[in-house]
Amino acid sequence: MSTESSSDSVGQHASASDGTEPRLSGGIGTFALILIVLSFAAPLITLNGTIPVIIGIGNGLGTPLSFVASGIMLMLFAVGFVAMARRLPRPGGFYAYISASLGKPLGLGASYVAVLGYLGLLLGTYLLGGAAADALVHGKFGGPELPWAFWAFFMWLFVSALGHFRIDLSAKVLGVLLCAELVVVVVFDVVVLARGGGPEGISAEPLTIDAFFSGSVPIAIMFAILTYTGFESTAIYREEVRDPDRTITRATYGSILLLGGLYTVSSFMLINGYGVSNAVAVATNNSGVMMVDAVEEYVGVIMADLTNVLLVTSSLAALLAIHNTATRYVYSLATDKAAPPIFGRVHPVHGSPYLASAGVAVLAIVCTVPFAVSNLSFLEQYSWMLGIGTLALIVLYTLMSLAVLVFFIREPGDEGVARTRVAPALALVMLTATLWLITKNLTLLTGGSTTLSFVFSAAVYGLLLLGVVVALYYKSRKPEVYEALGRSLG
């Protein structure tokens, strides 16, 4: 084992009592880390919101194969990602790996883009969660009609409180909320299958190549990739898991396989529940209630009502997972003194990055205020945040694929050509094409505004450039800070 790896392992459990600064700590295993990733991806929200959109404006009946195709692409990405995580056992996620391979300037720029991307997803999910809570209380149960921001504020309090404590507590809460929503999805799938599908029975047409190419494949793939978001966050928890190499590897592969399987099967059952002749029309005209109506039809009113409740808790789980990931990027930057060092402090009892968590919480509520007081529609604001978050993360995936390829060409080992050359090269080609498609079609996620699409693109690529400039400034004026960039652990 390398010296760096050893220090990483031992450092997890250091505390203030031994005379050293407290380090992040936690004991989460593979299953708990997978739950965090699945909560980030919010599967019930995906089934209720994203899948009907793919059916309606994507490739229609070919939606199940869109998840298969995107899952294969991300699995190729994960092969190189995991290999590099094992070879370079540093905390910090993409920030650390891109710094080590493509240079500290690009690594710092990537960390800025990561924070922006996760902040966009966080704000968008607060919007979604608040709207879902209002729809449940007012629309479903006849309670008072209140602004989405009212409910989002209480979600913010919940997330901010849990972010203060040890990651194990968040993992347990996420586990309970996630398991509840997965029960609804699995029950729905089983009932549709047991009843032999809808009015047209079970058709294999959604699994054919003709169906896959029946509509807009680029749009379908773009949205399908969104539904896997969060799998890349496994490495950022390196300091808080048991047996980091094994846990991160298993959780990364496991989350992609579970999400891909769940979305493929559930979209297939949803389409067959309505019938292949009707599903696209229903998704086009009634996408917002397509899943809930299907649950009510096949499982009953009680389960449909439970689905509406779980849409709120699913938002809450996603908020907590996204908040925790963003927090650890801020913590990593502060540890390297590339952000205010105060955010690099660790709670002496809980072993959590509590001040970084508080900083992210404050940033989130400050950025939410303009949305809360504006007259813009929920859909406009949500699509904006989804757009900027999506673009930022795909930029990171693409840079990371390049980083893996460059790293193993420069430092070959015994991992094998397939894992260190072939898979990363294929992932890089596919992700570059996807990035181009998303940039080209960004107006779909920004309400059709070309101006806003340009602003979001400029923000993402501008932050990447800003990180490069700041790193070069550190190199010339603060060499000790520059040398520490990339979570090298000294």
Side-chain angles (χ1 to χ4, degrees):
M1 182 180 291
S2 68
T3 302
E4 187 173 31
S5 180
S6 298
S7 66
D8 179 39
S9 178
V10 174
Q12 292 181 50
H13 306 289
S15 64
S17 62
D18 62 9
T20 65
E21 287 294 320
R23 297 279 299 278
L24 290 185
S25 65
I28 57 177
T30 300
F31 182 68
L33 189 53
I34 288 176
L35 290 180
I36 290 175
V37 172
L38 264 62
S39 298
F40 194 128
L44 190 59
I45 292 176
T46 295
L47 292 167
N48 190 72
T50 309
I51 286 178
V53 170
I54 297 175
I55 296 172
I57 67 173
N59 60 344
L61 299 182
T63 296
L65 287 185
S66 298
F67 291 110
V68 174
S70 57
I72 290 172
M73 176 169 58
L74 294 177
M75 188 61 78
L76 287 170
F77 167 86
V79 168
F81 174 66
V82 166
M84 190 167 180
R86 293 177 70 89
R87 176 77 80 84
L88 200 70
R90 300 179 182 180
F94 289 169
Y95 164 51
Y97 304 143
I98 293 172
S99 293
S101 177
L102 303 181
K104 295 176 185 291
L106 263 181
L108 186 60
S111 71
Y112 288 179
V113 172
V115 173
L116 174 66
Y118 291 124
L119 180 62
L121 295 177
L122 188 65
L123 297 179
T125 308
Y126 273 120
L127 283 157
L128 181 65
D134 180 61
L136 176 67
V137 174
H138 173 67
K140 190 66 180 178
F141 298 117
E145 184 176 8
L146 296 168
W148 64 264
F150 175 85
W151 302 108
F153 176 71
F154 287 99
M155 291 181 170
W156 176 83
L157 289 176
F158 176 83
V159 169
S160 301
L162 280 183
H164 179 82
F165 296 100
R166 185 179 166 100
I167 188 63
D168 304 57
L169 178 59
S170 291
K172 291 174 182 176
V173 172
L174 291 173
V176 172
L177 297 178
L178 179 67
C179 287
E181 60 181 285
L182 289 180
V183 167
V184 172
V185 176
V186 172
V187 168
F188 169 76
D189 291 343
V190 170
V191 171
V192 173
L193 180 62
R195 288 177 55 174
E200 301 173 44
I202 297 289
S203 170
E205 186 178 349
L207 302 179
T208 64
I209 296 299
D210 287 343
F212 178 70
F213 288 105
S214 63
S216 176
V217 176
I219 292 176
I221 294 296
M222 178 175 67
F223 278 103
I225 288 177
L226 277 177
T227 65
Y228 289 89
T229 300
F231 80 91
E232 77 288 342
S233 66
T234 53
I236 200 71
Y237 293 97
R238 183 174 189 88
E239 294 171 289
E240 299 165 271
V241 300
R242 298 191 301 268
D243 192 358
D245 286 343
R246 183 172 298 180
T247 298
I248 290 171
T249 299
R250 290 177 175 177
T252 302
Y253 289 146
S255 58
I256 294 174
L257 290 172
L258 285 172
L259 287 171
L262 180 69
Y263 296 149
T264 300
V265 172
S266 297
S267 60
F268 178 79
M269 291 303 174
L270 183 61
I271 289 171
N272 275 287
Y274 281 96
V276 294
S277 300
N278 302 315
V280 175
V282 173
T284 302
N285 299 317
N286 298 289
S287 63
V289 294
M290 185 180 187
M291 181 65 185
V292 175
D293 285 353
V295 170
E296 183 172 342
E297 171 68 24
Y298 285 92
V299 190
V301 175
I302 294 177
M303 189 63 84
D305 288 342
L306 178 60
T307 301
N308 280 305
V309 172
L310 290 175
L311 284 171
V312 177
T313 62
S314 180
S315 301
L316 198 58
L319 283 168
L320 183 55
I322 298 169
H323 173 93
N324 283 336
T325 301
T327 291
R328 278 145 186 84
Y329 269 98
V330 172
Y331 167 80
S332 289
L333 288 170
T335 298
D336 290 351
K337 295 182 173 56
I342 190 173
F343 294 132
R345 293 183 184 176
V346 175
H347 197 284
V349 175
H350 304 301
S352 63
Y354 69 116
L355 292 179
S357 176
V360 170
V362 170
L363 182 62
I365 198 168
V366 168
C367 292
T368 301
V369 169
F371 292 100
V373 300
S374 75
N375 293 321
L376 297 169
S377 70
F378 156 77
L379 186 59
E380 283 180 303
Q381 298 178 89
Y382 177 66
S383 63
W384 292 356
M385 294 300 96
L386 190 66
I388 198 165
T390 302
L391 180 61
L393 290 183
I394 297 300
V395 167
L396 288 176
Y397 293 166
T398 306
L399 280 175
M400 186 63 207
S401 292
L402 178 61
V404 170
L405 197 58
V406 170
F407 179 81
F408 283 109
I409 289 174
R410 189 172 61 229
E411 301 185 29
D414 58 1
E415 291 88 354
V417 174
R419 295 174 62 190
T420 61
R421 305 288 203 286
V422 178
L426 289 173
L428 178 60
V429 171
M430 293 178 179
L431 285 166
T432 301
T434 302
L435 178 59
W436 178 78
L437 289 172
I438 287 180
T439 303
K440 181 181 178 182
N441 294 283
L442 194 58
T443 52
L444 292 172
L445 299 176
T446 57
S449 172
T450 54
T451 301
L452 201 57
S453 297
F454 174 79
V455 170
F456 285 175
S457 296
V460 171
Y461 294 113
L463 271 180
L464 185 65
L465 179 60
L466 177 63
V468 172
V469 171
V470 171
L472 293 176
Y473 166 79
Y474 287 147
K475 186 176 183 179
S476 64
R477 299 296 181 90
K478 298 181 179 181
E480 71 284 356
V481 175
Y482 182 80
E483 287 304 315
L485 293 178
R487 294 304 307 275
S488 63
L489 296 178

